[in-house]
Amino acid sequence: MSGSSFPMPAPAPLAYVVGIDIGMESCMMCGLTMEKRQVIKPSPFANKAEGFTSLFERLERLGASPDQILVGLEATSRYGENLYHALLKRGYRVCLLHPAQMHAFAQQRGLRAKTDQVDATTIARALLSGEARFGYVPTEQVAIYRELVRLQQQLSEDVVRYKNEIHALLVVLFPEFTQVFADPTRPTALAFLKRYPSAQAVAQAEVGVLSQVLHELSPKHYGRQTAERLLDIARKSISSGVAISARSTSLRILCDQLEHTQANLKQLQQEIETLLDQDPKAKGVLLIPEFGVMTVAVLRAELGDLDRFARMDQVVAYVGMDRASSSRVANGLGRPNSPNGEVAVCAASCIWQHYEASGWPIPPLEPIITASLIAE
């Protein structure tokens, strides 16, 4: 029989609201009736299994079914994820609240004295006010994108830092090295520097040994001629030789760190490409010539499903680039300081900028965006 023959029952009327302020190690809870009477005074519980058990025992003592209790959590990255899903599994209604929304609510009412007890009470009062907006909870697929893309961004920044530090150390260890290896952070140069991290180390080596090492590292490009060149410039180097042992150790470690980080980046890139290849919501966007693989991955990671937004200013507010509009324009959808936020906004703008005059939804892009990026 068709499922339409059985209409969904109306949700049970709420009996209580519970505000929970999340911390890495501990949380604070506060419970109110629908008439704003406090039934659970601000109380701490541990952000671990024993604490969850204590929380559920307190909620059960209220005497209402889980679907009659609305629990509000302020979004705190990963710290509240386990509790959020534990509450859902028990059947409680859960509202994820954006910190900027809570800050604006408290400021309007003069409530913001920053303590965990006040925050838990503020969250509960916001739930009763009718002004709270349910925050966006990413799907499993979007959560995977976020983990991979944000780690990729972090490792990319690490690569830049390691390269800069290697260049800086070579200024005092072997400033002439770039006369032979224009880029000292290329694989062959890195491998050579791990064996000979200073001009002094090269100058003390025999040309035959250097030639053999270079041949092993890159037989098609380097050999005896390169070894002779390195030996010559090393013996004439202006390197000061100060703290040479410590600096050589630092250079070896940095070279090793760079190699490992680049290898991990390559693995991440492959995982992201595989994820995009299996994602029907991304296939259409990948056809847009201006977009590369990582741009599309950032879109999926930072914006999630685009049908949640009606205008570009809501996208800007969501990623937190416009603090003033995050609660006013995005209606609680926003996230301040979104990693890769600028990239997400620029990519979204590139999609929509030619069609804003036609309003939303954008008919010319519907086959790409609606069918490919956000369709279930």
Side-chain angles (χ1 to χ4, degrees), residues 212-258:
Q212 180 63 31
V213 168
L214 289 167
H215 182 76
E216 291 174 0
L217 295 176
S218 184
K220 295 183 179 180
H221 297 92
Y222 303 108
R224 188 174 183 87
Q225 185 177 357
T226 306
E228 290 173 349
R229 175 66 174 149
L230 278 169
L231 194 58
D232 180 60
I233 62 174
R235 288 171 176 171
K236 299 175 182 176
S237 176
I238 61 170
S239 171
S240 68
V242 174
I244 187 170
S245 176
R247 285 171 171 170
S248 294
T249 298
S250 297
L251 183 59
R252 286 191 178 103
I253 291 173
L254 286 169
C255 290
D256 192 58
Q257 289 288 93
L258 178 57

Side-chain angles (χ1 to χ4, degrees), residues 160-304:
V160 172
R161 187 177 74 255
Y162 292 144
K163 287 183 175 182
N164 289 339
E165 291 176 358
I166 287 170
H167 279 278
L169 274 174
L170 280 175
V171 168
V172 289
L173 281 170
F174 197 171
E176 299 81 8
F177 188 76
T178 52
Q179 294 178 20
V180 176
F181 295 96
D183 184 355
T185 61
R186 298 284 294 172
T188 301
L190 287 175
F192 184 85
L193 287 172
K194 287 168 69 174
R195 301 193 191 190
Y196 301 97
S198 67
Q200 290 79 0
V202 174
Q204 294 171 6
E206 296 180 0
V207 68
V209 175
L210 291 177
S211 177
Q212 180 63 31
V213 168
L214 289 167
H215 182 76
E216 291 174 0
L217 295 176
S218 184
K220 295 183 179 180
H221 297 92
Y222 303 108
R224 188 174 183 87
Q225 185 177 357
T226 306
E228 290 173 349
R229 175 66 174 149
L230 278 169
L231 194 58
D232 180 60
I233 62 174
R235 288 171 176 171
K236 299 175 182 176
S237 176
I238 61 170
S239 171
S240 68
V242 174
I244 187 170
S245 176
R247 285 171 171 170
S248 294
T249 298
S250 297
L251 183 59
R252 286 191 178 103
I253 291 173
L254 286 169
C255 290
D256 192 58
Q257 289 288 93
L258 178 57
E259 288 177 333
H260 283 293
T261 304
Q262 288 175 325
N264 288 332
L265 263 177
K266 184 177 180 180
Q267 178 184 341
L268 272 177
Q269 184 74 19
Q270 292 171 344
E271 290 193 33
I272 290 170
E273 290 176 0
T274 299
L275 185 62
L276 285 167
D277 187 57
Q278 298 172 352
D279 180 8
K281 299 180 181 181
K283 291 186 182 299
V285 184
L286 285 168
L287 298 176
I288 300 175
E290 294 85 355
F291 289 179
V293 168
M294 283 310 302
T295 301
V296 177
V298 167
L299 265 175
R300 292 290 281 126
E302 302 305 336
L303 300 185

Side-chain angles (χ1 to χ4, degrees), residues 98 314-323 326 334-338 341:
H98 182 250
Q314 290 182 329
V315 177
V316 172
Y318 174 71
V319 299
M321 292 177 68
D322 181 356
R323 294 290 187 111
S326 8
R335 259 179 314 111
N337 297 326
S338 168

